[in-house]
Amino acid sequence: MQTVLSIAIDALAYGMVLFVISIGLSVTMGLMRVVNLAHGAFAMIGGYLASYATRDLGLGYAPAILIAVIATAIIAVPIERLLYRRIYGAPELTQVLMTIGITFCVIGLANYAFGPTLKTIPLPELLRGSIDLGFRAIATHRLFAIACGLVVALGLWFLIERTGFGIRLRAAVDNAPMAAALGVRTHLVYAISFAVAVGLAAFGGVVGAELLPVEPYYALRYMVTFLVAVSIGGAGSIPGALIACLLLGAIDTTGRYLAPEYGEFFFYLAVIVIVTLFPRGLAGRFKS
């Protein structure tokens, strides 16, 4: 029973962290039709900034998260304006080459600025302990990661379904030329959506640092993982991304607990099976 509970909590925490990081990639792929392989690089930037803020500037965990999210989003604005807008609607190979190039540039700059070593983000005292259930203690940070995932999922749902920006976003998703003709500033919608997506990546990179360590080649190491989560869930689908991340998190965590010698074998076996059964993903795009 204790093993099952441990697997369930770790799987849920890992799945939620994967969701927080990946949902931004799902938005950019579903809205802008860009295969953004540099998404993990922005999560890496967030982790590096949070580590610098806590370890070098002596700031607390919460201010470090704010700095990481806001600074990463600010960094993303000119990148979207100068680079990403040039590949909207471009062939997928062009998008892949551009975003891979951005990834390597970010890795090089981050290693030059912060050094080529593993970056840790000290947790506050509140998140270091555990909660005793009587028969099992659960790490507080795991529960925090799960709560963050739920808040992000609900927040995005509210943004998409219950706000004026969400209406314009869904209009741009369905028919960008028509939305622009009706007065929707699609470029502004793209820029804001990209900044939000990147901010979420940075947030996930910080919150998930205990599960996905921030190291020099973070952006490359987890690139395929993030892309797989989006592909399985269906680009542009919040429910699909959440279900896919929880499912993949459960499979990967269970495999590592019960058969660690197989590494990521079960994770990618599950990907092959799911893609075979659901070639268009578990869900489609944003729904009105």
Side-chain angles (χ1 to χ4, degrees):
M1 181 63 185
Q2 290 187 2
T3 301
V4 172
L5 183 60
S6 296
I7 293 175
I9 293 298
D10 286 351
L12 190 55
Y14 176 65
M16 284 300 191
V17 167
L18 189 59
F19 168 75
V20 173
I21 299 176
S22 301
I23 188 59
L25 176 58
S26 182
V27 170
T28 55
M29 288 181 65
L31 170 63
M32 304 177 199
R33 309 292 190 267
V34 174
V35 184
N36 183 19
L37 298 187
H39 189 75
F42 294 107
M44 175 182 172
I45 291 174
Y48 268 68
L49 291 175
S51 177
Y52 179 77
T54 53
R55 303 191 67 86
D56 295 272
L57 300 182
L59 298 178
Y61 190 70
I65 290 178
L66 288 176
I67 289 174
V69 172
I70 295 173
T72 305
I74 291 174
I75 291 171
V77 171
I79 293 178
E80 190 275 337
R81 178 67 181 85
L82 298 175
L83 298 178
Y84 279 86
R85 288 193 187 182
R86 298 177 181 274
I87 58 174
Y88 292 159
E92 292 181 353
L93 179 58
T94 301
Q95 297 174 355
V96 167
L97 292 175
M98 169 73 84
T99 54
I100 283 287
I102 293 173
T103 298
F104 279 104
C105 287
V106 168
I107 289 173
L109 290 173
N111 289 335
Y112 174 78
F114 300 104
T117 57
L118 178 74
K119 302 301 176 184
T120 58
I121 305 172
L123 295 174
E125 191 65 33
L126 181 63
L127 299 180
R128 290 179 190 170
S130 59
I131 296 177
D132 190 0
L133 299 180
F135 62 93
R136 183 72 169 85
I138 300 177
T140 308
H141 178 264
R142 297 291 195 270
L143 297 178
F144 175 68
I146 295 170
C148 288
L150 292 174
V151 169
V152 168
L154 291 174
L156 280 177
W157 173 84
F158 182 82
L159 177 67
I160 300 301
E161 300 293 339
R162 294 290 185 268
T163 67
F165 176 78
I167 294 174
R168 291 189 289 272
L169 174 60
R170 284 181 282 129
V173 169
D174 290 334
N175 193 324
M178 180 60 71
L182 293 174
V184 176
R185 300 174 63 185
T186 54
H187 285 304
L188 181 60
V189 171
Y190 288 173
I192 294 175
S193 300
F194 189 78
V196 170
V198 165
L200 288 174
F203 179 63
V206 179
V207 172
E210 294 292 309
L211 299 171
L212 303 177
V214 181
E215 43 89 16
Y217 289 94
Y218 178 100
L220 290 178
R221 183 180 300 276
Y222 301 114
M223 176 196 298
V224 175
T225 303
F226 302 147
L227 186 61
V228 161
V230 172
S231 301
I232 294 297
S237 171
I238 296 174
L242 181 58
I243 294 171
C245 290
L246 292 178
L247 178 60
L248 293 173
I251 293 171
D252 189 45
T253 303
T254 302
R256 291 179 185 277
Y257 261 89
L258 302 181
E261 64 275 13
Y262 284 90
E264 297 181 335
F265 170 79
F266 294 105
F267 179 89
Y268 288 105
L269 176 62
V271 170
I272 293 172
V273 172
I274 295 172
V275 169
T276 301
L277 297 177
F278 303 95
R280 296 185 179 180
L282 297 177
R285 302 157 44 209
F286 288 121
K287 299 299 181 183
S288 302

